[in-house]
Amino acid sequence: MPPIVTPSSSESTPSPAQIFAIANQKGGVGKTTTAVNLATALAAVGESVLLIDLDPQGNASTGLGVSRSERSPGSYEFLLGLAPLTDCTRESKIPGLSVMPASVALAGAEIELIDLERREHRLADALNAPGADARQRWTTILIDCPPSLGLVTLNALVAVDAVLVPLQAEFLALEGIGALSNTVARIKKNLNPKLYIAGVVLTMVDRRMTLSQQVEADVRAHFGDLVFGTTIPRNVRIAEAPSHGMPVLIYDNACAGAQAYILLASEFIRRRRTATESPSHEPAS
Ligand code: ATP
Ligand code: MG
């Protein structure tokens, strides 16, 4: 494994673990890429990280090199209470990074959850169950959400402290973002009062294109300080890495995409510390 150039971070990580959902109901905006590479960058600076793949497409599992035959028990069994945390998680090939893989069975969970008691709380209950103690086992837990606002994503939003929203820097980037903001506000009001938006990450940015610049300006005007200063450039090495079953940070540590995710991790750590210190976090309207 090539050495990883890491952000300089020596501060102690908060304990117990903070949990983040990476969500946007729009497809293909860079949720999984951000989940896999942020998780890898955090593990590289010495954090102990769990990445929960909550998308039946299983792209985060693929991106970490978990073969299809190794995906069960995983997030489906955990969500439905069919298997305990220790059975549903395993170490990835990245030191410090554990994964809870997703199998295609998770596609059925959307329907199966409907008739269950506490159907929006299943993931939170499972993570907080005595004996699971997920927040004590890792320093950061990231959840890669599917491109929908269905019951599976709701379970993630009820279980987490905060949401990280990747936005693709292209036409209609903000389309549907109101639905996500409204969902976050509704969950905060009714199901998870501490929920906040940790930030918006612009992905697939191409600063040579006027459109990309315009979208970035629009998104910054709309969300203000919620938008990370770090943006992720469109970079072919990022697109290639998953087919090799590895994060771009491992596939080509020197490429612009990998370096951007390292900077994003530094900013994420800084912002998380600030958020922990200031108690009021209102989601964007
Ligand atoms: P879905 O909604 O289907 O889960 P997603 O939001 O998780 O999608 P990704 O799977 O991360 O999005 O990215 C969509 C596609 O774009 C993938 O093929 C990925 O490799 C590619 N991609 C993501 N980020 C970049 C980037 N910065 N540069 C180039 N390609 C990228
Ligand atoms: Mg995805």
Side-chain angles (χ1 to χ4, degrees):
M1 187 185 297
I4 294 178
V5 181
T6 58
S8 54
S9 154
S10 57
E11 75 257 24
S12 58
T13 47
S15 178
Q18 286 184 289
I19 313 184
F20 298 86
I22 301 182
N24 183 338
Q25 79 274 25
K26 199 162 178 201
V29 297
K31 292 182 288 296
T32 301
T33 304
T34 299
V36 166
N37 290 294
L38 181 58
T40 302
L42 292 173
V45 291
E47 290 206 25
S48 145
V49 184
L50 170 65
L51 174 53
I52 299 180
D53 187 350
L54 211 55
D55 183 349
Q57 297 181 97
N59 293 344
S61 309
T62 305
L64 287 176
V66 183
S67 70
R68 297 216 170 257
S69 60
E70 295 169 322
R71 295 188 189 177
S72 183
S75 55
Y76 169 75
E77 289 78 5
F78 189 63
L79 189 60
L80 274 288
L82 305 173
L85 183 71
T86 42
D87 291 357
C88 298
T89 55
R90 29 221 158 271
E91 287 182 12
S92 75
K93 293 170 193 153
I94 319 293
L97 174 55
S98 304
V99 58
M100 182 187 288
S103 65
V104 286
L106 186 61
E110 215 52 78
I111 305 288
E112 288 167 57
L113 282 166
I114 291 173
D115 292 328
L116 298 184
E117 262 181 52
R118 290 179 62 77
R119 59 187 179 185
E120 296 103 344
H121 297 267
R122 303 295 295 207
L123 184 61
D125 289 351
L127 286 168
N128 296 326
D133 291 331
R135 285 183 190 266
Q136 311 307 325
R137 288 179 200 228
W138 293 278
T139 51
T140 302
I141 300 175
L142 301 180
I143 304 180
D144 183 30
C145 291
S148 76
L149 288 175
L151 261 180
V152 170
T153 299
L154 287 194
N155 263 273
L157 296 177
V158 171
V160 300
D161 300 292
V163 198
L164 196 61
V165 185
L167 278 190
Q168 187 178 346
E170 63 156 31
F171 184 54
L172 299 180
L174 289 166
E175 188 193 48
I177 211 68
L180 178 62
S181 293
N182 290 341
T183 302
V184 169
R186 196 161 42 87
I187 290 177
K188 185 178 168 68
K189 190 162 168 233
N190 299 316
L191 300 167
N192 182 7
K194 67 181 186 314
L195 184 65
Y196 68 99
I197 295 184
V200 172
V201 181
L202 276 158
T203 64
M204 298 182 237
V205 171
D206 186 345
R207 290 218 164 104
R208 293 166 307 179
M209 286 177 60
T210 315
L211 176 63
S212 196
Q213 290 171 4
Q214 271 170 6
V215 171
E216 180 171 351
D218 286 353
V219 169
R220 290 193 188 281
H222 186 80
F223 287 106
D225 289 346
L226 269 184
V227 187
F228 277 68
T230 312
T231 59
I232 309 299
R234 184 173 283 284
N235 180 261
V236 69
R237 306 299 267 171
I238 290 181
E240 289 169 3
S243 65
H244 297 269
M246 52 178 102
V248 74
L249 268 89
I250 306 296
Y251 177 62
D252 183 356
N253 175 249
C255 75
Q259 294 298 314
Y261 274 110
I262 290 166
L263 289 175
L264 185 76
S266 285
E267 192 177 350
F268 177 83
I269 291 167
R270 267 200 318 277
R271 283 174 167 251
R272 183 179 56 184
R273 197 176 43 207
T274 316
T276 311
E277 283 159 8
S278 83
S280 84
H281 324 291
E282 291 305 318
S285 52

